[in-house]
Amino acid sequence: IKQFLLLSKRRTALITQCLKDSETSKPNFMPRLYINRRLAMEHRDNPALDPSCKNAVFTQVLSLLEGSRLRCLVLCRWPLRYDQWWECKFIAEGIIDQGGGFRDSLADMSEELCPSSADTPVPLPFFVRTSNQGNSTGEARDMYVPNPSCKDFPKYEWIGQIMGAALRGKEFLVLALPGFVWKQLTGEEVSWSKDFPAVDSVLVKLLEVMEFMDKDTFEFKFGNELTYTTVLSDQRMVELIPNGSSTVVRYEDRKEFIRLVQKARLEESKEQIMAMQAGLLKVVPQAVLDLLTWQELEKKVCGDPEVTVDALKKLTRFEDFEPLDTRVQYFWEALNNFTNEDRSRFLRFVTGRSRLPARIYIYPDKMGSETTDALPESSTCSSTLFLPNYATAKVCEEKLRYAAYNCVAIDTDMSPWE
């Protein structure tokens, strides 16, 4: 049925109507959460020191909501205009949260669930790096899959609820998941040859070669060493049949071995994905998932990963600048020289979001037209950048890049001790 629904010309209108018809009224109050991001940063640097992950932003937010009657708020199917689900007070950081702190908490949770850098440890147990990422092979080398070893299904369900809230609203939960996962969330069929190369391209190729291998080559390559076992994405070895680790695969049985490996790997995260889908469906009607392709679901939950200069130009407004002001020229020269990752970091520095769409408002900084080497300042609550007057485009590029990567704490809205 889904393939016919996707062909409907009224699909977009039906999605909008389904979301509107399933809305609930907004809550009477907004929960206020006190989050310690410095402890979260320490945990992110060395997760082994705290296996409970209690200091992660993800866990702090969930614990504060669970500790009161506030958890039920996340189940609500809020109107689109209700775009801030909780208020954040970052301990020892100055902030009056009018949206910027809340967006920052979502960005922190995203980074904890699926770190953007391959060189950092994964601070939470819910997702693991794909074999492609670990081996630096194949396509989609920055992706994660649900951890087959993690059986904390209520947490996966809560992740699904936040995904659903993102879909209904204007905010993003950026999860670097392959189409293999998104397809299962939308109810689309997954295929070994089409979808699993994004998870473990080496294994897909190995099994393909094995299937068409002659007997002499098979015995030369594997001898008596190949047994009925396979390694999952969490690096656990599992048996494919009873006593599989002590049963040698014969050439005549290789196709059955291949079938068993494919089944085990395709279903390795099935329970975790089902829990995420259950959470998603608490917030989004089944009809909406039926009407969305997996690519559309990903974009609605995570935003657009491509932060292009052309897209930024459409979303950026300069206030109190002359038409030919060199600051405007230097700003765009700097962003043109940025990588996509640089622009994503810059976007978060200004708006609290790491993906588009997000509007940006740029004003001259307090020094006015006076040339300075000061770092730029931002207010994520109003998505505003205060741009200094730099001597050259190169200096502008260096200062913007440094701020984007190093100025995470929010300390310009108020005194951090108020």
Side-chain angles (χ1 to χ4, degrees), residues 122-286:
V122 182
L124 291 170
F126 309 112
F127 298 93
V128 292
R129 291 185 166 100
T130 62
S131 299
N132 284 359
Q133 185 174 169
N135 300 329
S136 295
T137 55
E139 57 183 286
R141 297 183 189 182
D142 58 348
M143 295 294 178
Y144 294 77
V145 289
N147 184 354
S149 296
C150 184
K151 304 299 182 183
D152 195 346
F153 300 121
K155 296 277 199 331
Y156 282 107
E157 193 170 308
W158 195 67
I159 292 168
Q161 291 171 229
I162 297 296
M163 292 168 72
L167 187 154
R168 295 191 75 99
K170 300 175 182 176
E171 304 307 330
F172 304 128
L173 184 71
V174 182
L175 299 175
L177 308 175
F180 169 72
V181 175
W182 293 106
K183 278 188 173 184
Q184 293 179 75
L185 290 172
T186 58
E188 295 181 45
E189 286 188 21
V190 293
S191 155
W192 176 263
S193 58
K194 288 183 180 178
D195 300 312
F196 214 75
V199 178
D200 193 340
S201 60
V202 171
L203 178 64
V204 172
K205 185 65 178 175
L206 174 65
L207 295 184
E208 182 185 329
V209 171
M210 183 187 295
E211 183 176 359
F212 299 102
M213 198 176 277
D214 62 53
K215 186 172 184 178
D216 289 342
T217 306
F218 180 89
E219 291 179 349
F220 173 76
K221 282 187 173 292
F222 302 110
N224 294 322
E225 295 180 5
L226 183 64
T227 59
Y228 281 88
T229 59
T230 192
V231 177
L232 305 183
S233 291
D234 58 5
Q235 303 308 307
R236 265 188 314 132
M237 187 178 74
V238 295
E239 294 186 323
L240 302 171
I241 60 172
N243 300 315
S245 58
S246 57
T247 306
V248 174
V249 179
R250 298 181 304 168
Y251 176 75
E252 295 76 15
D253 301 324
R254 73 192 186 287
K255 290 188 179 181
E256 175 63 9
F257 169 77
I258 290 169
R259 185 190 69 79
L260 290 170
V261 171
Q262 291 175 345
K263 184 176 186 298
R265 295 304 306 274
L266 286 171
E267 296 179 357
E268 65 178 9
S269 303
K270 184 178 179 179
E271 293 177 305
Q272 291 77 9
I273 294 171
M274 284 176 64
M276 290 168 66
Q277 188 186 54
L280 194 54
L281 288 172
K282 286 186 175 179
V283 184
V284 178
Q286 177 68 59

Side-chain angles (χ1 to χ4, degrees), residues 11 40-41 57 73 85 117 131 139 144 183 208-209 228 260 284 304 309 312 317 329 371 383 394 404 409 418:
R11 200 161 57 86
M41 189 66 72
V57 172
L73 294 176
W85 316 326
S117 171
S131 299
E139 57 183 286
Y144 294 77
K183 278 188 173 184
E208 182 185 329
V209 171
Y228 281 88
L260 290 170
V284 178
D304 191 342
V309 173
L312 285 170
R317 207 163 97 186
Q329 175 191 332
T371 303
S383 299
K394 184 66 176 173
E418 288 182 17

Side-chain angles (χ1 to χ4, degrees), residues 57-114:
V57 172
F58 175 91
T59 312
Q60 290 186 60
V61 168
L62 181 56
S63 298
L64 289 166
L65 291 175
E66 281 187 324
S68 65
R69 61 192 178 93
L70 305 179
R71 174 76 183 274
C72 65
L73 294 176
V74 184
L75 301 178
C76 294
R77 299 177 173 190
W78 297 313
L80 179 63
R81 63 186 176 277
Y82 187 73
D83 55 4
Q84 183 174 350
W85 316 326
W86 57 75
E87 178 187 350
C88 270
K89 291 288 185 180
F90 292 131
I91 296 169
E93 297 181 54
I95 178 173
I96 301 172
D97 186 8
Q98 295 176 321
F102 162 67
R103 289 194 295 270
D104 245 32
S105 69
L106 282 179
D108 285 332
M109 289 164 63
S110 299
E111 188 64 25
E112 289 174 344
L113 289 165
C114 299

Side-chain angles (χ1 to χ4, degrees), residues 16-36:
T16 303
Q17 193 61 48
C18 283
L19 291 173
K20 187 168 180 56
D21 289 347
S22 60
E23 281 182 3
T24 60
S25 57
K26 68 179 184 179
N28 295 324
F29 70 101
M30 184 182 296
R32 177 178 291 179
L33 309 182
Y34 289 85
I35 306 295
N36 191 324

